[in-house]
Structure formats: C-alpha cells, structure tokens
Amino acid sequence: MGKYVIVGASQGIGESIATALLAAGHEVINFSRNPSSLSGVVNYTWDALVADDSAIAAITGPIDGIAYCPGSINLKPFHRLTSADFEKEFQINVLGAVRVIQALLPALKQSQTSSIVLFSTVAVQTGMGFHASIASAKGAIEGLTRSLAAELAANKIRVNAIAPSLTQTPLAGALLNSPEKIEAGGKRHPLGRVGQSEDVANLAAFLLNPANSWITGQIIGVDGGIGSLRTN
C-alpha cells in the first residue's frame, strides 16, 4: 500500500480524498491548521500563511503522492480588491504548494510512481466576474502544474491539477448556505447541481493511483459541464 500526504484533510475535498485513500488501505498523513477527525490519519499542524515547515521536514521515507487542497474564495469587485488580497490568495494557493512540494521532493523521488495533485478552478478557463484574485492565483497553479510535470517527468513524478466548479464544502459555505442558493447554483451548471466533495475526490484518488501512471501535465475540469458546455 502507498503513503500519501494530504494538505488540508481536515475538511471538504481533502477529507474526502483521505477517506478514499484510507478505504483503499493506504497510509495518510495530514498537514492542516486543524487535525483530521478520520481514524487512521496521522496529523501534523501546518499553515500556508505561517513560515514554519518543520513538521513537513520531519517526514521520512518514500512518499507516493501529495494532494494540496488549501484554497480560498474571496469574491469581490476588482476595484475593491487590495494588493494584500492578491498576496494572500497567492500565499495560500501557490506558495504553500511550492513549499510543500519542495520539502517533500526527495521523498517523492524515492517512490517509483509518485503523483502530485493540485487544485485550480473553472474560473481560470471560463472568465467569471468578481473572481480576479482567486483566478489569478489558480492560473499560476495551472502554470506550475505544467512546468513541474515537464521537469519531474524524468523522475517518474506525475503532476496534474483538478479545476472544480462550485462544490458544497465548508470553504463555499457562504455561497451555499440555504436551499435557495444551492438550487440557484445548481441551475447554472448543465448537469443541474452543484458539486460534492466526493465528485472531486474521486478524480484526485484516480490521479494519485499508480495504476494511472500515464497521465501528467493535465488540467482536468470537474465542473458539472459549466466550463465547456452551453445548454441554453
């Protein structure tokens, strides 16, 4: 069985990825501000906004995969966004991922078929109002994904990203905090519903699985069709 690091397994998509990996018999290590409540997860405290990677540096032995799940949703008109807003989005979504990957790269290289899964958003490909700061940061994630996939291919390390649309998680709680908002959000998608964390986690687990070792450098939408379809 494999050994996987999930950054952000305490809730939402990260928790669902951890659940899937545990069910398959894998070892799961969680880095997050709050511990995961899942039985069998090894927890370490880590925060993308705090410059302390000592917990990550303590990990030894081969690592078969990383899923970096921290994210942010800061939807504001462009004129109300500050440089601090952009910097925070970049710190959480991009620099945090860079720090984790750099710290664990030697451990990834010890595995024969390791995999990195990052997270973008449908708003990078499909322009959406009020998404300037998060789409900018996630656009950087897509560039990082492709660049790392090319650079690390020689080490047999696969790097892919998932681009979800609106998904029912604690992060999106303010956007989906009533039946009316959930229904309205669902109607925007061709498949008629908002996403669930399991929808995204299923693909993440697939990409982490060494059985799928000929997939790298991809940005894959899990978005109910909103990124590529028009039905009205």
Side-chain angles (χ1 to χ4, degrees):
M1 292 292 100
K3 181 177 180 181
Y4 294 91
V5 169
I6 310 298
V7 184
S10 60
Q11 63 179 13
I13 292 169
E15 183 177 51
S16 292
I17 297 171
T19 299
L21 294 175
L22 289 169
H26 299 298
E27 180 180 351
V28 176
I29 300 169
N30 170 51
F31 290 104
S32 61
R33 289 177 296 177
N34 301 305
S36 169
S37 61
L38 296 174
S39 177
V41 171
V42 177
N43 287 295
Y44 292 89
T45 301
W46 185 83
D47 190 333
L49 296 175
V50 177
D52 180 4
D53 296 333
S54 57
I56 300 175
I59 301 300
T60 59
I63 295 292
D64 297 293
I66 300 170
Y68 185 85
C69 305
S72 50
I73 298 179
N74 184 26
L75 306 184
K76 292 181 182 178
F78 180 71
H79 72 274
R80 287 180 49 202
L81 289 167
T82 65
S83 60
D85 289 323
F86 282 90
E87 289 169 4
K88 185 176 181 181
E89 301 268 27
F90 203 81
Q91 184 73 41
I92 293 171
N93 293 281
V94 184
L95 295 183
V98 168
R99 285 163 51 195
V100 170
I101 294 168
Q102 287 184 331
L104 293 178
L105 190 55
L108 288 167
K109 289 180 178 179
Q110 292 179 48
S111 174
Q112 298 301 309
T113 56
S114 55
S115 174
I116 299 169
V117 175
L118 303 176
F119 286 88
S120 180
T121 170
V122 68
V124 173
Q125 173 186 290
T126 304
M128 296 180 177
F130 311 112
H131 284 68
S133 60
I134 184 58
S136 296
K138 293 300 193 181
I141 281 290
E142 295 195 6
L144 178 66
T145 297
R146 294 189 175 99
S147 295
L148 283 182
E151 183 173 339
L152 299 179
N155 300 108
K156 303 298 186 288
I157 299 174
R158 296 174 290 114
V159 187
N160 296 286
I162 299 172
S165 185
L166 185 60
T167 305
Q168 199 159 18
T169 65
L171 184 65
L175 302 177
L176 297 171
N177 58 7
S178 71
E180 292 76 18
K181 288 183 178 181
I182 293 171
E183 181 180 5
K187 287 180 177 178
R188 294 175 53 219
H189 297 78
L191 287 180
R193 66 173 176 88
V194 298
Q196 301 298 314
S197 60
E198 292 80 7
D199 294 319
V200 183
N202 288 340
L203 178 57
F206 176 89
L207 293 171
L208 289 170
N209 191 328
N212 305 307
S213 60
W214 214 43
I215 304 171
T216 195
Q218 303 303 306
I219 314 297
I220 305 174
V222 181
D223 57 16
I226 196 173
S228 55
L229 306 178
R230 295 294 178 269
T231 58
N232 54 36

